[in-house]
Amino acid sequence: MNKLRGLLYLFSSIAPWGAGAYELQISRIESSINSCYPKILSAVIQQELNQGKVKKNEAPFDFRLDADALQRQGSTYNTTYQKIALEKRFYGSPVSAYAGYDISGGYTPQYDSAQITSTLGRQFVGLKMNLLSGFTMDEERLNLYNSMLDKEKSDYELDLSRLLVKTEAMKAYMGWVIAGAELQAYEKLLHIAETRQNALEKRFKNGDIAEISVKENYNNVLKRKMKVTSAKDYFNKASQYLALYYRDQRCNIVTPNQNLLPKTLPEVNKIPEQPIVDEVNNAVKNRPEFKIIQTQLQQIVNQQKLAGNYLLPKLNLSVQYNQNNSDTATSSYFQLNQQEAVGKLNFSMPLERSYGKGMDKETEASYRKLLNDRQLLLDQLKAQLETLHYSVDATASQVDMSKTENKLATDLLNAENRRVQNGDSNFFMLNLREDNATNSYLNYINVIAGNYQALIEYNFLTGNNVHLTKAYPQFN
């Protein structure tokens, strides 16, 4: 009897068992995500792709070397012409600059669209520029500018992928912690019943108690085994889900076991009070979606500039300065000066300007649509922040009530235990008290889970989940 009383006293508390020496910290999960998670790696690859597109769209603005050679033989108008030139177009302006050297020979090189030069050739420099259409924007500059914005946008999309993935990972981690705590509570409850069963069976063999007491306790053992089996299944599912985000150094999936659970449950959280306007402004600064929309708006602004250029006539100017190396032309009938200046002006205009008008209307509508999308996201953000702010604080306040309930259930269990020891109660009532104490503890766990569920959603809205280690220091 004294041995049984000692066992009852030892196992009457329903607090969960502590975990092993090593805990799975959230920093390890975050490290696995950053280095191994496929969606994150795909976003990094997209960055590289967009960087390649930027490089490709820089091609029209590369230095270009041109060389031409012409020779006509066996004709009345035998001619030769050689030319080499270096040209550079500047993507920040509608100007191209070039310089080169050419030399002609024969009677009429102009018949082959060549230039008449001095017998020693000439040097030349020149500029080409768009004065109206193409002055502020053209197709090639648009492709380059918008590909640069695509590169910037891919940085924000990487942040968005991290935010989404890490939010789900944090939910999986917290679900695993809660499932583990529930499993430990049920295992402890089963352990109490099994230990008691062994003691009761010995007493029954010695004739100290009736068989019904043994069977009644065994009935509780079976019930608690079923609960442990169900809790193990729930914990295994939570472990498998968390394993999607937990990987080793070779990026192989690792399923976390029960020994890696935190030793204690985390403390509940409250969100510091601040004006909702400040909360929304901080969220807008941190959320990648708003940065993505901003780059998309800038891309549309660039398209609007191009549309405006298509509404203007083309007026292209080119100027060139020639320095001949002698005053003798290769064609004897042609007189030239050693210094020459040449100007050319080209004008054209589509009378109906349908393309420009259509593009202008299209980009204006796209801009308004994107602003509407941004406003909707902003309105949703404000409403959800207010709701989650309340949920976090409400669940935090419920913890005190849950602790009080759990303490009361534990006190009743301890009192019932003393009554059993004094012979004033029975194992039926003691089992009920143990079940009630466990249920109150599970209610406490669920309140903590609700608090973190709201907190995780709140940190998603504010963009804090991009850095889990910083957002949840209690798990490190």
Side-chain angles (χ1 to χ4, degrees), residues 318-348:
S318 61
V319 293
Q320 180 174 312
Y321 170 76
N322 301 325
Q323 175 65 51
N324 285 290
N325 295 327
S326 72
D327 56 6
T328 303
T330 54
S331 297
S332 57
Y333 65 89
F334 191 79
Q335 300 293 321
L336 55 76
N337 295 320
Q338 284 190 274
Q339 296 179 339
E340 300 173 329
V342 181
K344 182 179 179 182
L345 198 63
N346 176 264
F347 176 86
S348 67

PDB file of all heavy atoms in Angstrom, residues 318-348:
ATOM      1  N   SER A 318      21.159  64.449 -87.907  1.00  0.00           N
ATOM      2  CA  SER A 318      22.513  63.900 -87.864  1.00  0.00           C
ATOM      3  C   SER A 318      23.484  64.967 -88.344  1.00  0.00           C
ATOM      4  O   SER A 318      23.211  65.687 -89.312  1.00  0.00           O
ATOM      5  CB  SER A 318      22.638  62.642 -88.734  1.00  0.00           C
ATOM      6  OG  SER A 318      22.349  62.942 -90.079  1.00  0.00           O
ATOM      7  N   VAL A 319      24.581  65.113 -87.654  1.00  0.00           N
ATOM      8  CA  VAL A 319      25.635  66.068 -88.021  1.00  0.00           C
ATOM      9  C   VAL A 319      26.958  65.330 -88.053  1.00  0.00           C
ATOM     10  O   VAL A 319      27.200  64.426 -87.238  1.00  0.00           O
ATOM     11  CB  VAL A 319      25.691  67.258 -87.043  1.00  0.00           C
ATOM     12  CG1 VAL A 319      24.436  68.116 -87.153  1.00  0.00           C
ATOM     13  CG2 VAL A 319      25.879  66.796 -85.616  1.00  0.00           C
ATOM     14  N   GLN A 320      27.815  65.742 -89.005  1.00  0.00           N
ATOM     15  CA  GLN A 320      29.107  65.066 -89.146  1.00  0.00           C
ATOM     16  C   GLN A 320      30.166  66.076 -89.530  1.00  0.00           C
ATOM     17  O   GLN A 320      29.919  66.985 -90.337  1.00  0.00           O
ATOM     18  CB  GLN A 320      29.022  63.968 -90.207  1.00  0.00           C
ATOM     19  CG  GLN A 320      30.323  63.202 -90.425  1.00  0.00           C
ATOM     20  CD  GLN A 320      30.169  62.032 -91.368  1.00  0.00           C
ATOM     21  OE1 GLN A 320      29.242  61.234 -91.220  1.00  0.00           O
ATOM     22  NE2 GLN A 320      31.058  61.925 -92.346  1.00  0.00           N
ATOM     23  N   TYR A 321      31.337  65.932 -88.942  1.00  0.00           N
ATOM     24  CA  TYR A 321      32.488  66.764 -89.281  1.00  0.00           C
ATOM     25  C   TYR A 321      33.551  65.882 -89.913  1.00  0.00           C
ATOM     26  O   TYR A 321      33.907  64.831 -89.379  1.00  0.00           O
ATOM     27  CB  TYR A 321      33.046  67.436 -88.029  1.00  0.00           C
ATOM     28  CG  TYR A 321      34.371  68.121 -88.263  1.00  0.00           C
ATOM     29  CD1 TYR A 321      34.433  69.349 -88.928  1.00  0.00           C
ATOM     30  CD2 TYR A 321      35.563  67.529 -87.832  1.00  0.00           C
ATOM     31  CE1 TYR A 321      35.650  69.958 -89.138  1.00  0.00           C
ATOM     32  CE2 TYR A 321      36.788  68.143 -88.041  1.00  0.00           C
ATOM     33  CZ  TYR A 321      36.819  69.357 -88.698  1.00  0.00           C
ATOM     34  OH  TYR A 321      38.026  69.972 -88.928  1.00  0.00           O
ATOM     35  N   ASN A 322      34.065  66.316 -91.090  1.00  0.00           N
ATOM     36  CA  ASN A 322      35.081  65.571 -91.837  1.00  0.00           C
ATOM     37  C   ASN A 322      36.393  66.345 -91.850  1.00  0.00           C
ATOM     38  O   ASN A 322      36.409  67.575 -92.034  1.00  0.00           O
ATOM     39  CB  ASN A 322      34.635  65.341 -93.283  1.00  0.00           C
ATOM     40  CG  ASN A 322      33.328  64.566 -93.346  1.00  0.00           C
ATOM     41  OD1 ASN A 322      33.076  63.686 -92.522  1.00  0.00           O
ATOM     42  ND2 ASN A 322      32.498  64.901 -94.337  1.00  0.00           N
ATOM     43  N   GLN A 323      37.474  65.617 -91.661  1.00  0.00           N
ATOM     44  CA  GLN A 323      38.810  66.206 -91.748  1.00  0.00           C
ATOM     45  C   GLN A 323      39.595  65.427 -92.804  1.00  0.00           C
ATOM     46  O   GLN A 323      40.055  64.308 -92.575  1.00  0.00           O
ATOM     47  CB  GLN A 323      39.529  66.129 -90.407  1.00  0.00           C
ATOM     48  CG  GLN A 323      40.975  66.608 -90.429  1.00  0.00           C
ATOM     49  CD  GLN A 323      41.105  68.099 -90.733  1.00  0.00           C
ATOM     50  OE1 GLN A 323      40.449  68.913 -90.092  1.00  0.00           O
ATOM     51  NE2 GLN A 323      41.911  68.456 -91.722  1.00  0.00           N
ATOM     52  N   ASN A 324      39.688  65.994 -94.022  1.00  0.00           N
ATOM     53  CA  ASN A 324      40.448  65.365 -95.087  1.00  0.00           C
ATOM     54  C   ASN A 324      41.933  65.561 -94.857  1.00  0.00           C
ATOM     55  O   ASN A 324      42.382  66.618 -94.391  1.00  0.00           O
ATOM     56  CB  ASN A 324      40.053  65.961 -96.438  1.00  0.00           C
ATOM     57  CG  ASN A 324      38.699  65.449 -96.906  1.00  0.00           C
ATOM     58  OD1 ASN A 324      38.562  64.287 -97.267  1.00  0.00           O
ATOM     59  ND2 ASN A 324      37.693  66.324 -96.878  1.00  0.00           N
ATOM     60  N   ASN A 325      42.698  64.552 -95.213  1.00  0.00           N
ATOM     61  CA  ASN A 325      44.138  64.591 -94.965  1.00  0.00           C
ATOM     62  C   ASN A 325      44.930  65.283 -96.073  1.00  0.00           C
ATOM     63  O   ASN A 325      46.138  65.425 -95.953  1.00  0.00           O
ATOM     64  CB  ASN A 325      44.663  63.177 -94.764  1.00  0.00           C
ATOM     65  CG  ASN A 325      44.083  62.537 -93.519  1.00  0.00           C
ATOM     66  OD1 ASN A 325      43.817  63.228 -92.537  1.00  0.00           O
ATOM     67  ND2 ASN A 325      43.859  61.230 -93.559  1.00  0.00           N
ATOM     68  N   SER A 326      44.251  65.676 -97.146  1.00  0.00           N
ATOM     69  CA  SER A 326      44.867  66.493 -98.209  1.00  0.00           C
ATOM     70  C   SER A 326      43.745  67.232 -98.921  1.00  0.00           C
ATOM     71  O   SER A 326      42.561  66.957 -98.688  1.00  0.00           O
ATOM     72  CB  SER A 326      45.653  65.617 -99.197  1.00  0.00           C
ATOM     73  OG  SER A 326      44.764  64.864-100.000  1.00  0.00           O
ATOM     74  N   ASP A 327      44.067  68.166 -99.763  1.00  0.00           N
ATOM     75  CA  ASP A 327      43.035  68.921-100.480  1.00  0.00           C
ATOM     76  C   ASP A 327      42.826  68.390-101.899  1.00  0.00           C
ATOM     77  O   ASP A 327      42.165  69.020-102.718  1.00  0.00           O
ATOM     78  CB  ASP A 327      43.368  70.409-100.526  1.00  0.00           C
ATOM     79  CG  ASP A 327      44.738  70.677-101.139  1.00  0.00           C
ATOM     80  OD1 ASP A 327      45.379  69.711-101.630  1.00  0.00           O
ATOM     81  OD2 ASP A 327      45.182  71.835-101.133  1.00  0.00           O
ATOM     82  N   THR A 328      43.395  67.219-102.179  1.00  0.00           N
ATOM     83  CA  THR A 328      43.227  66.618-103.503  1.00  0.00           C
ATOM     84  C   THR A 328      42.272  65.447-103.403  1.00  0.00           C
ATOM     85  O   THR A 328      42.506  64.501-102.643  1.00  0.00           O
ATOM     86  CB  THR A 328      44.571  66.126-104.060  1.00  0.00           C
ATOM     87  OG1 THR A 328      45.489  67.221-104.097  1.00  0.00           O
ATOM     88  CG2 THR A 328      44.391  65.549-105.466  1.00  0.00           C
ATOM     89  N   ALA A 329      41.194  65.520-104.162  1.00  0.00           N
ATOM     90  CA  ALA A 329      40.202  64.448-104.140  1.00  0.00           C
ATOM     91  C   ALA A 329      40.656  63.289-105.013  1.00  0.00           C
ATOM     92  O   ALA A 329      41.471  63.452-105.939  1.00  0.00           O
ATOM     93  CB  ALA A 329      38.852  64.969-104.624  1.00  0.00           C
ATOM     94  N   THR A 330      40.105  62.117-104.720  1.00  0.00           N
ATOM     95  CA  THR A 330      40.439  60.946-105.522  1.00  0.00           C
ATOM     96  C   THR A 330      39.831  61.047-106.922  1.00  0.00           C
ATOM     97  O   THR A 330      40.350  60.449-107.867  1.00  0.00           O
ATOM     98  CB  THR A 330      39.920  59.683-104.834  1.00  0.00           C
ATOM     99  OG1 THR A 330      38.525  59.828-104.556  1.00  0.00           O
ATOM    100  CG2 THR A 330      40.652  59.436-103.517  1.00  0.00           C
ATOM    101  N   SER A 331      38.744  61.796-107.073  1.00  0.00           N
ATOM    102  CA  SER A 331      38.145  62.061-108.399  1.00  0.00           C
ATOM    103  C   SER A 331      38.620  63.428-108.858  1.00  0.00           C
ATOM    104  O   SER A 331      38.408  64.450-108.182  1.00  0.00           O
ATOM    105  CB  SER A 331      36.619  62.033-108.326  1.00  0.00           C
ATOM    106  OG  SER A 331      36.165  60.757-107.942  1.00  0.00           O
ATOM    107  N   SER A 332      39.261  63.449-110.026  1.00  0.00           N
ATOM    108  CA  SER A 332      39.919  64.678-110.474  1.00  0.00           C
ATOM    109  C   SER A 332      38.941  65.817-110.731  1.00  0.00           C
ATOM    110  O   SER A 332      39.303  66.999-110.598  1.00  0.00           O
ATOM    111  CB  SER A 332      40.737  64.391-111.745  1.00  0.00           C
ATOM    112  OG  SER A 332      39.875  63.860-112.750  1.00  0.00           O
ATOM    113  N   TYR A 333      37.709  65.487-111.069  1.00  0.00           N
ATOM    114  CA  TYR A 333      36.751  66.535-111.386  1.00  0.00           C
ATOM    115  C   TYR A 333      36.120  67.131-110.134  1.00  0.00           C
ATOM    116  O   TYR A 333      35.372  68.093-110.207  1.00  0.00           O
ATOM    117  CB  TYR A 333      35.636  65.978-112.279  1.00  0.00           C
ATOM    118  CG  TYR A 333      34.780  64.937-111.594  1.00  0.00           C
ATOM    119  CD1 TYR A 333      33.651  65.309-110.877  1.00  0.00           C
ATOM    120  CD2 TYR A 333      35.133  63.589-111.649  1.00  0.00           C
ATOM    121  CE1 TYR A 333      32.894  64.352-110.227  1.00  0.00           C
ATOM    122  CE2 TYR A 333      34.369  62.636-111.009  1.00  0.00           C
ATOM    123  CZ  TYR A 333      33.238  63.018-110.299  1.00  0.00           C
ATOM    124  OH  TYR A 333      32.488  62.085-109.661  1.00  0.00           O
ATOM    125  N   PHE A 334      36.417  66.566-108.935  1.00  0.00           N
ATOM    126  CA  PHE A 334      35.735  66.957-107.708  1.00  0.00           C
ATOM    127  C   PHE A 334      36.666  67.803-106.854  1.00  0.00           C
ATOM    128  O   PHE A 334      37.837  67.457-106.673  1.00  0.00           O
ATOM    129  CB  PHE A 334      35.301  65.703-106.928  1.00  0.00           C
ATOM    130  CG  PHE A 334      34.372  65.989-105.793  1.00  0.00           C
ATOM    131  CD1 PHE A 334      33.018  66.209-106.022  1.00  0.00           C
ATOM    132  CD2 PHE A 334      34.857  66.048-104.494  1.00  0.00           C
ATOM    133  CE1 PHE A 334      32.169  66.467-104.970  1.00  0.00           C
ATOM    134  CE2 PHE A 334      34.001  66.304-103.442  1.00  0.00           C
ATOM    135  CZ  PHE A 334      32.656  66.519-103.677  1.00  0.00           C
ATOM    136  N   GLN A 335      36.168  68.931-106.394  1.00  0.00           N
ATOM    137  CA  GLN A 335      36.930  69.811-105.511  1.00  0.00           C
ATOM    138  C   GLN A 335      36.446  69.624-104.070  1.00  0.00           C
ATOM    139  O   GLN A 335      35.249  69.494-103.826  1.00  0.00           O
ATOM    140  CB  GLN A 335      36.743  71.279-105.920  1.00  0.00           C
ATOM    141  CG  GLN A 335      37.186  71.590-107.337  1.00  0.00           C
ATOM    142  CD  GLN A 335      38.694  71.452-107.499  1.00  0.00           C
ATOM    143  OE1 GLN A 335      39.442  71.834-106.594  1.00  0.00           O
ATOM    144  NE2 GLN A 335      39.140  70.916-108.621  1.00  0.00           N
ATOM    145  N   LEU A 336      37.372  69.602-103.140  1.00  0.00           N
ATOM    146  CA  LEU A 336      36.965  69.459-101.735  1.00  0.00           C
ATOM    147  C   LEU A 336      37.856  70.312-100.857  1.00  0.00           C
ATOM    148  O   LEU A 336      38.957  70.703-101.230  1.00  0.00           O
ATOM    149  CB  LEU A 336      36.999  68.003-101.289  1.00  0.00           C
ATOM    150  CG  LEU A 336      38.272  67.172-101.439  1.00  0.00           C
ATOM    151  CD1 LEU A 336      39.318  67.507-100.386  1.00  0.00           C
ATOM    152  CD2 LEU A 336      37.921  65.685-101.335  1.00  0.00           C
ATOM    153  N   ASN A 337      37.359  70.607 -99.669  1.00  0.00           N
ATOM    154  CA  ASN A 337      38.123  71.306 -98.640  1.00  0.00           C
ATOM    155  C   ASN A 337      38.597  70.283 -97.618  1.00  0.00           C
ATOM    156  O   ASN A 337      37.996  69.222 -97.448  1.00  0.00           O
ATOM    157  CB  ASN A 337      37.265  72.358 -97.946  1.00  0.00           C
ATOM    158  CG  ASN A 337      36.852  73.469 -98.906  1.00  0.00           C
ATOM    159  OD1 ASN A 337      37.644  73.910 -99.735  1.00  0.00           O
ATOM    160  ND2 ASN A 337      35.598  73.906 -98.788  1.00  0.00           N
ATOM    161  N   GLN A 338      39.664  70.627 -96.930  1.00  0.00           N
ATOM    162  CA  GLN A 338      40.176  69.688 -95.937  1.00  0.00           C
ATOM    163  C   GLN A 338      39.233  69.549 -94.746  1.00  0.00           C
ATOM    164  O   GLN A 338      39.214  68.524 -94.079  1.00  0.00           O
ATOM    165  CB  GLN A 338      41.572  70.125 -95.469  1.00  0.00           C
ATOM    166  CG  GLN A 338      42.657  69.821 -96.505  1.00  0.00           C
ATOM    167  CD  GLN A 338      44.038  70.015 -95.944  1.00  0.00           C
ATOM    168  OE1 GLN A 338      44.549  71.118 -95.973  1.00  0.00           O
ATOM    169  NE2 GLN A 338      44.635  68.959 -95.438  1.00  0.00           N
ATOM    170  N   GLN A 339      38.430  70.567 -94.472  1.00  0.00           N
ATOM    171  CA  GLN A 339      37.467  70.527 -93.373  1.00  0.00           C
ATOM    172  C   GLN A 339      36.067  70.688 -93.938  1.00  0.00           C
ATOM    173  O   GLN A 339      35.797  71.596 -94.720  1.00  0.00           O
ATOM    174  CB  GLN A 339      37.747  71.632 -92.350  1.00  0.00           C
ATOM    175  CG  GLN A 339      39.110  71.469 -91.656  1.00  0.00           C
ATOM    176  CD  GLN A 339      39.369  72.581 -90.661  1.00  0.00           C
ATOM    177  OE1 GLN A 339      38.779  73.647 -90.742  1.00  0.00           O
ATOM    178  NE2 GLN A 339      40.284  72.330 -89.737  1.00  0.00           N
ATOM    179  N   GLU A 340      35.192  69.772 -93.519  1.00  0.00           N
ATOM    180  CA  GLU A 340      33.813  69.793 -94.015  1.00  0.00           C
ATOM    181  C   GLU A 340      32.839  69.556 -92.860  1.00  0.00           C
ATOM    182  O   GLU A 340      33.173  68.867 -91.903  1.00  0.00           O
ATOM    183  CB  GLU A 340      33.583  68.688 -95.055  1.00  0.00           C
ATOM    184  CG  GLU A 340      34.460  68.787 -96.289  1.00  0.00           C
ATOM    185  CD  GLU A 340      34.305  67.579 -97.183  1.00  0.00           C
ATOM    186  OE1 GLU A 340      34.036  66.468 -96.643  1.00  0.00           O
ATOM    187  OE2 GLU A 340      34.451  67.738 -98.400  1.00  0.00           O
ATOM    188  N   ALA A 341      31.664  70.114 -92.989  1.00  0.00           N
ATOM    189  CA  ALA A 341      30.571  69.872 -92.042  1.00  0.00           C
ATOM    190  C   ALA A 341      29.336  69.473 -92.835  1.00  0.00           C
ATOM    191  O   ALA A 341      29.015  70.096 -93.848  1.00  0.00           O
ATOM    192  CB  ALA A 341      30.296  71.103 -91.201  1.00  0.00           C
ATOM    193  N   VAL A 342      28.681  68.395 -92.370  1.00  0.00           N
ATOM    194  CA  VAL A 342      27.523  67.872 -93.075  1.00  0.00           C
ATOM    195  C   VAL A 342      26.369  67.745 -92.070  1.00  0.00           C
ATOM    196  O   VAL A 342      26.568  67.246 -90.949  1.00  0.00           O
ATOM    197  CB  VAL A 342      27.810  66.490 -93.699  1.00  0.00           C
ATOM    198  CG1 VAL A 342      26.584  65.978 -94.444  1.00  0.00           C
ATOM    199  CG2 VAL A 342      29.016  66.576 -94.623  1.00  0.00           C
ATOM    200  N   GLY A 343      25.193  68.187 -92.439  1.00  0.00           N
ATOM    201  CA  GLY A 343      24.007  68.055 -91.601  1.00  0.00           C
ATOM    202  C   GLY A 343      22.878  67.412 -92.386  1.00  0.00           C
ATOM    203  O   GLY A 343      22.751  67.631 -93.598  1.00  0.00           O
ATOM    204  N   LYS A 344      22.072  66.603 -91.674  1.00  0.00           N
ATOM    205  CA  LYS A 344      20.958  65.932 -92.335  1.00  0.00           C
ATOM    206  C   LYS A 344      19.765  65.916 -91.395  1.00  0.00           C
ATOM    207  O   LYS A 344      19.906  65.622 -90.215  1.00  0.00           O
ATOM    208  CB  LYS A 344      21.354  64.504 -92.713  1.00  0.00           C
ATOM    209  CG  LYS A 344      20.274  63.738 -93.463  1.00  0.00           C
ATOM    210  CD  LYS A 344      20.765  62.339 -93.809  1.00  0.00           C
ATOM    211  CE  LYS A 344      19.684  61.545 -94.535  1.00  0.00           C
ATOM    212  NZ  LYS A 344      20.125  60.162 -94.851  1.00  0.00           N
ATOM    213  N   LEU A 345      18.600  66.232 -91.921  1.00  0.00           N
ATOM    214  CA  LEU A 345      17.372  66.260 -91.141  1.00  0.00           C
ATOM    215  C   LEU A 345      16.330  65.398 -91.828  1.00  0.00           C
ATOM    216  O   LEU A 345      16.128  65.505 -93.035  1.00  0.00           O
ATOM    217  CB  LEU A 345      16.861  67.702 -91.019  1.00  0.00           C
ATOM    218  CG  LEU A 345      15.847  67.998 -89.912  1.00  0.00           C
ATOM    219  CD1 LEU A 345      16.464  67.750 -88.543  1.00  0.00           C
ATOM    220  CD2 LEU A 345      15.361  69.441 -90.015  1.00  0.00           C
ATOM    221  N   ASN A 346      15.684  64.521 -91.022  1.00  0.00           N
ATOM    222  CA  ASN A 346      14.679  63.621 -91.575  1.00  0.00           C
ATOM    223  C   ASN A 346      13.380  63.791 -90.795  1.00  0.00           C
ATOM    224  O   ASN A 346      13.386  63.776 -89.562  1.00  0.00           O
ATOM    225  CB  ASN A 346      15.178  62.166 -91.475  1.00  0.00           C
ATOM    226  CG  ASN A 346      14.134  61.177 -91.942  1.00  0.00           C
ATOM    227  OD1 ASN A 346      13.405  60.641 -91.122  1.00  0.00           O
ATOM    228  ND2 ASN A 346      14.059  60.939 -93.240  1.00  0.00           N
ATOM    229  N   PHE A 347      12.267  63.916 -91.521  1.00  0.00           N
ATOM    230  CA  PHE A 347      10.956  64.139 -90.897  1.00  0.00           C
ATOM    231  C   PHE A 347       9.945  63.153 -91.477  1.00  0.00           C
ATOM    232  O   PHE A 347       9.900  62.935 -92.685  1.00  0.00           O
ATOM    233  CB  PHE A 347      10.478  65.576 -91.140  1.00  0.00           C
ATOM    234  CG  PHE A 347       9.099  65.846 -90.603  1.00  0.00           C
ATOM    235  CD1 PHE A 347       8.911  66.222 -89.297  1.00  0.00           C
ATOM    236  CD2 PHE A 347       7.980  65.723 -91.431  1.00  0.00           C
ATOM    237  CE1 PHE A 347       7.638  66.461 -88.791  1.00  0.00           C
ATOM    238  CE2 PHE A 347       6.704  65.959 -90.937  1.00  0.00           C
ATOM    239  CZ  PHE A 347       6.531  66.340 -89.617  1.00  0.00           C
ATOM    240  N   SER A 348       9.141  62.568 -90.581  1.00  0.00           N
ATOM    241  CA  SER A 348       8.020  61.738 -91.012  1.00  0.00           C
ATOM    242  C   SER A 348       6.976  61.721 -89.907  1.00  0.00           C
ATOM    243  O   SER A 348       7.304  61.887 -88.721  1.00  0.00           O
ATOM    244  CB  SER A 348       8.476  60.302 -91.340  1.00  0.00           C
ATOM    245  OG  SER A 348       8.914  59.640 -90.175  1.00  0.00           O
TER     246      SER A 348
END
